């Protein structure tokens, strides 16, 4: 077998779906070695005899369903990346499989998307292979499931004719969520001059991705409300995240980055510290220990986390966002916001913007900014202005 060939196993009980996939993915035959089977049992046999890297399975299947298969594979072959390609609209099944799988995709899925998802999953394995992170994940009582509303949003957004009104309507179904999203949207930090009264309007003003991220962030923060640790306030973390998003977006605007990168900066900033919530929520005792350690030794919380957990909130947050199928860039922002990827300055974009925004908002430019990185170094001349922008935000708020 030529080196670099990816080994992918597809499982679906519908012969037509398998044929369709086979035909659609034929052009990838030089990159992927693919096998197609029609039952969970056959899939397990294949996995036992040959080393596959990725499993892509349907959820609703007779005899052994996707949930059972994913559970078995997680146990017997934990190194195999588990992706779901689901046609079911059953909420319950969707959520259960989304938690068991590394990523969740909705049928029909074109070759380009499928390929991008698989490549992303394989690339992200670098972070997944972090031994500290692996141990921690094994220990977590429960990984927060993808919020139901978010699953619905992904589904709606996959359809090319999803209208602004439909997307607004999905958010509106959840009253608590609507209130939270509107509170965030109308926060002075976002700088919209008029009052937004409906999620649909928010979509018009801020774009779908931003509103989706706001909705997700609102529901993530709501899920974790109970942590209750001294020295750790969910409210201040949420405010911090919103400020980092706002400053990162301002950085992108200063540098005349395209709209899409500007949105990514905002979304990335909003979600960059999600890992802190996961750690504090799942391991409150250990997180308390990390907080005390950081205070006593006057070190950054990420250093104390590494000491206690063997990994930091950055990797954990990146992992969770990846699990939830966020775009590569957003998961990268979360996973690498303290340790920037080793890439030239023009290819680092939103990761650098969020890194800088985080240091600026925390008023820790001296301590936290990676000035040895060429991507950051190239932007240093702007930092005083960004600091001033951030200070203005803090006053306004
Ligand atoms: Fe952080
Ligand atoms: Fe932060």
């Amino acid at each position: 077998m030529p080196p670099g060939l990816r080994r992918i196993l597809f499982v679906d009980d519908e012969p037509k779906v398998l044929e369709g996939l086979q035909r659609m993915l034929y052009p990838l035959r030089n990159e992927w070695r693919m096998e197609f089977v029609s039952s969970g049992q056959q899939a397990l046999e294949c996995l036992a005899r040959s080393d596959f890297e990725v499993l892509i399975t349907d959820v609703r299947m007779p005899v052994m369903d996707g949930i059972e298969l994913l559970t078995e594979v997680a146990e017997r072959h934990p190194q195999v990346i588990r992706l779901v390609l689901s046609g079911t609209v059953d909420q319950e099944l969707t959520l259960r499989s989304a938690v068991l799988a590394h990523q969740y995709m909705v049928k029909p899925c074109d070759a380009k998307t499928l390929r991008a998802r698989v490549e992303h999953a394989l690339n992200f394995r670098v972070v997944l292979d972090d031994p500290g992170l692996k141990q921690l994940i094994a220990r977590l009582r429960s990984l927060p499931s993808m919020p139901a509303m978010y699953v619905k949003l992904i589904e709606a957004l996959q359809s090319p004719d999803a209208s602004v009104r439909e997307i607004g309507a999905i958010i509106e179904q959840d009253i608590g969520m609507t209130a939270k999203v509107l509170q965030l949207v109308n926060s002075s930090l976002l700088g919209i001059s008029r009052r937004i009264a409906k999620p649909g309007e928010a979509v018009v003003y801020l774009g779908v991705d931003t509103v989706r991220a706001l909705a997700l962030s609102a529901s993530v923060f709501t899920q974790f409300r109970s942590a209750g640790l001294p020295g750790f306030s969910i409210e201040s973390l949420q405010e911090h995240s919103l400020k980092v998003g706002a400053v990162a977006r301002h950085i992108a605007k200063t540098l005349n980055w395209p709209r899409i990168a500007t949105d990514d900066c905002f979304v990335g900033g909003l979600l960059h510290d999600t890992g802190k919530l996961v750690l504090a929520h799942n391991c409150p005792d250990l997180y308390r220990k990390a907080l005390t350690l950081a205070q006593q030794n006057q070190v950054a919380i990420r250093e104390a986390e590494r000491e206690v957990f063997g990994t930091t909130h950055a990797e954990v947050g990146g992992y969770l966002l990846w699990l939830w199928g966020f775009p590569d860039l957003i998961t990268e922002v979360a996973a690498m916001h303290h340790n920037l990827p080793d890439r030239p300055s023009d290819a680092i974009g939103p990761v650098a913007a969020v890194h800088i925004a985080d240091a600026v908002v925390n008023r820790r430019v001296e301590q936290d900014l990676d000035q040895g990185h060429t991507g950051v170094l190239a932007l240093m001349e702007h930092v005083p202005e960004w600091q001033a922008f951030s200070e203005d935000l803090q006053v306004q708020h």
Side-chain angles (χ1 to χ4, degrees):
M1 188 175 65
L5 206 63
R6 300 305 197 180
R7 296 173 304 279
I8 326 261
L9 178 61
F10 289 88
V11 193
D12 203 304
D13 61 308
E14 285 274 351
K16 273 213 178 77
V17 172
L18 283 184
E19 270 166 41
L21 282 168
Q22 223 159 345
R23 227 186 357 254
M24 176 177 91
L25 297 169
Y26 184 72
L28 290 181
R29 67 195 177 285
N30 293 328
E31 294 162 59
W32 290 3
R33 196 197 80 200
M34 297 172 264
E35 260 186 65
F36 300 85
V37 296
S38 58
S39 75
Q41 203 50 48
Q42 279 175 306
L44 288 175
E45 282 161 22
C46 276
L47 289 167
R49 87 177 122 75
S50 175
D51 56 340
F52 285 92
E53 288 171 286
V54 181
L55 165 81
I56 302 181
T57 180
D58 185 22
V59 180
R60 198 186 278 289
M61 295 185 292
V63 193
M64 181 186 282
D65 69 9
I67 308 284
E68 222 182 312
L69 175 62
L70 290 165
T71 315
E72 285 290 320
V73 173
E75 211 170 288
R76 294 193 210 172
H77 310 281
Q79 77 287 0
V80 173
I81 292 179
R82 305 180 297 277
L83 306 184
V84 161
L85 181 56
S86 169
T88 178
V89 284
D90 182 322
Q91 267 301 298
E92 163 91 29
L93 271 183
T94 302
L95 279 178
R96 281 173 60 208
S97 61
V99 176
L100 277 167
H102 291 118
Q103 280 210 33
Y104 181 86
M105 297 173 285
V106 184
K107 281 182 204 164
C109 186
D110 59 71
K112 209 171 135 228
T113 312
L114 199 60
R115 180 191 177 162
R117 288 298 196 93
V118 169
E119 288 299 329
H120 173 48
L122 287 162
N123 292 339
F124 204 74
R125 208 154 53 177
V126 181
V127 176
L128 288 183
D129 277 343
D130 178 76
L133 180 65
K134 259 194 196 152
Q135 267 179 13
L136 175 74
I137 291 165
R139 225 173 33 206
L140 291 182
R141 269 178 287 148
S142 65
L143 263 184
S145 59
M146 190 153 41
M149 187 265 330
Y150 183 66
V151 176
K152 282 195 215 158
L153 276 183
I154 300 182
E155 281 168 1
L157 290 170
Q158 297 232 335
S159 117
D161 41 38
S163 69
V164 164
R165 203 185 317 136
E166 270 171 277
I167 291 162
I170 293 173
I171 300 176
E172 269 168 46
Q173 281 168 8
D174 184 333
I175 297 169
M177 175 71 55
T178 303
K180 201 77 212 139
V181 167
L182 291 178
Q183 189 198 335
L184 290 172
V185 168
N186 286 309
S187 135
S188 61
L189 294 171
L190 287 190
I192 300 177
S193 50
R194 51 162 300 205
R195 185 138 198 97
I196 305 283
K198 282 191 146 145
E201 279 176 67
V203 177
V204 175
Y205 274 84
L206 294 166
V208 166
D209 287 346
T210 305
V211 172
R212 187 173 55 160
L214 280 168
L216 181 72
S217 149
S219 81
V220 170
F221 277 97
T222 312
Q223 272 192 53
F224 292 104
R225 209 140 275 286
S226 59
L229 293 176
F232 181 81
S233 146
I234 291 189
E235 285 72 24
S236 5
L237 183 61
Q238 185 155 28
E239 197 180 313
H240 164 77
S241 306
L242 204 52
K243 280 181 187 159
V244 172
V247 173
R249 191 171 65 153
H250 174 73
I251 292 176
K253 282 188 179 163
T254 320
L255 299 170
N256 283 323
W257 287 354
R259 167 80 197 255
I260 187 152
T262 311
D263 288 347
D264 285 340
C265 283
F266 179 71
V267 175
L270 205 59
L271 299 170
H272 77 285
D273 275 338
T274 306
K276 283 191 183 175
L277 292 170
V278 180
L279 290 174
H281 178 79
N282 281 281
C283 317
D285 292 338
L286 287 175
Y287 210 70
R288 192 174 298 126
K289 208 168 138 190
L291 288 165
T292 318
L293 202 69
Q295 250 227 325
Q296 273 170 1
N297 300 354
Q298 291 291 305
V299 293
I301 183 69
R302 60 178 181 277
E303 283 160 38
E305 288 167 355
R306 187 164 293 287
E307 183 97 11
V308 173
F309 294 100
T311 187
T312 80
H313 66 266
E315 287 85 2
V316 174
Y319 174 76
L320 186 68
L321 296 175
W322 175 79
L323 198 64
W324 285 348
F326 262 79
D328 292 20
L329 199 91
I330 304 299
T331 56
E332 189 180 77
V333 167
M336 313 200 102
H337 72 274
H338 299 298
N339 298 310
L340 294 173
D342 198 10
R343 280 206 301 267
S345 52
D346 55 347
I348 190 163
V351 193
V354 170
H355 172 73
I356 296 171
D358 195 28
V360 162
V361 169
N362 286 334
R363 301 190 172 113
R364 283 177 60 93
V365 167
E366 286 300 311
Q367 301 94 316
D368 288 355
L369 216 53
D370 181 357
Q371 298 191 37
H373 194 288
T374 49
V376 176
L377 206 60
L379 302 174
M380 280 314 282
E381 54 168 317
H382 300 284
V383 170
E385 193 268 310
W386 296 335
Q387 266 171 317
F389 177 85
S390 163
E391 291 305 322
D392 277 353
L393 279 182
Q394 331 249 15
V395 175
Q396 258 180 40
H397 196 60

